[in-house]
Amino acid sequence: MPREQPREQPPAWRVAIVEDEPIARLGLRRMVEAAPGATLVGEATSGPEAVRLLRETQPDIVCLQELKAPEERFPELQLKRAGYGAVWHGQSRWNGVAILGRGVPPVEIRRGLPGDRTDIQSRYVEAAVKGVVVASLYAPNGNPQPGPKFDYKLAWFKRLRAHAAKFIKQEIPVVLAGDYNVAPTPFDIYPTRSWDKDALIQPKSRAAFASLVDQGWLDAVRELHRKGFRARRLIDGFPEWKRAGLPVAAGEEVNGNGTRSARRS
C-alpha cells in the first residue's frame, strides 16, 4: 500500500515518556515539545510510576524496550489491574521488549525475528492489537565496531528488513516501534568528532535503516520534521557529560529511544 499524501495539518497525538535517565528524558521532552500536534501528557522514571501514568493517560497501545527482566519478573498482574493486557519477551540483565493493549489483550504473533535460530537475544515481539499489527523492537547497539557486535547489528537489520518486507504487500496497518540504535542522518546528532567511530552513526548502520524505510515505511520522526531537525545540545547543567565528550542532543535521544518507523493503513 502506498504512503498517504502529507496532511495539511498534522494529527493531534498524545505522548507519555517513561525514561529513568534525566538527560534522555530531557531530550525526549524537547523533541515532543517541538513536534507539531504533540501534547506531552506525563512523565515517569520507574515501573510503578509508569503504571500510574497508564491509569492517568490511558493510551491504547504501549511498546516497551530494554526491560532488563526475565520472563517471570514482568509485572503482568500490576498492568492487568491498570487495565492492560500484555505480551512480552524478557531476558535477564539486558534487552527485553513488550506490547501493552488497553482493555484488549494483544494477540501474540511471534517473538524473535526469523532467519537465525541461534539468536537468543530478546529484541523483537509482534502482536495484533485492536486491528493493528504492532512490533516492539530493540535493535543491537553494535559497539565496539568493527567487530562481532557490529556484524550482529547489521545481520539483525538484514533479518528485520526481510521480515518487514512481507508486511508491505499486505493490506493491514502495521507499526514497527522501538529503539533502532541509529542516528539516521547528520540532522539527528549535533556535529561531533568524539563519536566518529560509534556504531550508531556508521555509514553501514545508516544505510541499513534507510533501506528499511525505503521499502515503503513512514519514518514517524522524519514525518514530523520534514525539513530536517538539527539536534540541539542539552548538556548545559550536566558538566560530567560534557567532560566525557558525549553528544547528548534532543534529536539523538529520540532516535535512540522513540518510535522511528511506522506505516499507515
Side-chain angles (χ1 to χ4, degrees):
M1 187 180 301
R3 294 186 179 99
E4 292 181 355
Q5 294 299 315
R7 294 184 175 96
E8 292 296 325
Q9 296 294 330
W13 54 301
R14 302 163 69 242
V15 180
I17 297 173
V18 180
E19 172 59 58
D20 61 350
E21 290 287 348
I23 192 67
R25 196 164 57 253
L26 177 59
L28 288 164
R29 185 189 309 136
R30 290 195 178 179
M31 174 61 96
V32 172
E33 290 170 350
T39 301
L40 182 62
V41 297
E43 298 183 24
T45 62
S46 66
E49 287 187 10
V51 173
R52 172 190 55 78
L53 192 60
L54 288 177
R55 289 194 179 101
E56 293 175 355
T57 61
Q58 298 188 335
D60 289 318
I61 301 172
V62 179
C63 292
L64 304 175
Q65 297 86 39
E66 206 170 358
L67 300 178
K68 296 182 179 179
E71 297 279 324
E72 64 274 11
R73 291 189 59 191
F74 186 80
E76 180 183 17
L77 182 58
Q78 294 92 321
L79 291 169
K80 187 175 181 180
R81 289 171 178 168
Y84 286 82
V87 296
W88 64 95
H89 188 19
Q91 189 170 358
S92 297
R93 295 185 61 194
W94 311 110
N95 309 323
V97 286
I99 301 170
L100 315 182
R102 182 169 65 89
V104 179
V107 178
E108 183 175 322
I109 299 173
R110 71 172 303 117
R111 56 179 59 204
L113 284 173
D116 184 357
R117 294 183 178 180
T118 67
D119 187 358
I120 61 173
Q121 298 191 29
S122 301
R123 295 185 176 276
Y124 185 93
V125 67
E126 182 183 301
V129 193
K130 298 188 175 186
V132 180
V133 173
V134 179
S136 180
L137 62 91
Y138 179 45
N141 177 281
N143 283 306
Q145 71 82 32
K149 292 185 177 181
F150 190 63
D151 294 341
Y152 172 66
K153 179 188 185 79
L154 298 180
W156 193 92
F157 260 101
K158 184 177 180 180
R159 289 160 52 206
L160 176 62
R161 291 196 305 273
H163 183 59
K166 301 174 184 178
F167 293 127
I168 298 298
K169 301 176 181 179
Q170 301 174 5
E171 297 294 323
I172 55 175
V174 181
V175 175
L176 304 179
D179 183 344
Y180 283 79
N181 263 319
V182 176
T185 74
F187 279 109
D188 299 301
I189 185 171
Y190 78 82
T192 177
R193 298 300 301 273
S194 61
W195 272 30
D196 281 357
K197 296 183 179 181
D198 195 275
L200 275 66
I201 65 171
Q202 295 308 303
K204 289 183 179 180
S205 299
R206 288 175 166 172
F209 180 82
S211 64
L212 174 67
V213 176
D214 287 346
Q215 288 180 337
W217 297 91
L218 182 72
D219 182 339
V221 172
R222 194 63 67 229
E223 175 74 1
L224 292 171
H225 302 280
R226 294 173 189 152
K227 294 182 180 180
F229 178 77
R230 174 61 69 183
R232 295 167 292 169
R233 293 188 66 164
L234 301 176
I235 56 179
D236 293 339
F238 293 88
E240 67 277 13
W241 290 69
K242 184 177 293 187
R243 286 196 300 270
L246 296 176
V248 181
E252 179 206 350
E253 293 300 337
V254 169
N255 293 341
N257 296 286
T259 301
R260 287 300 316 188
S261 287
R263 181 168 180 258
R264 293 177 179 159
S265 59

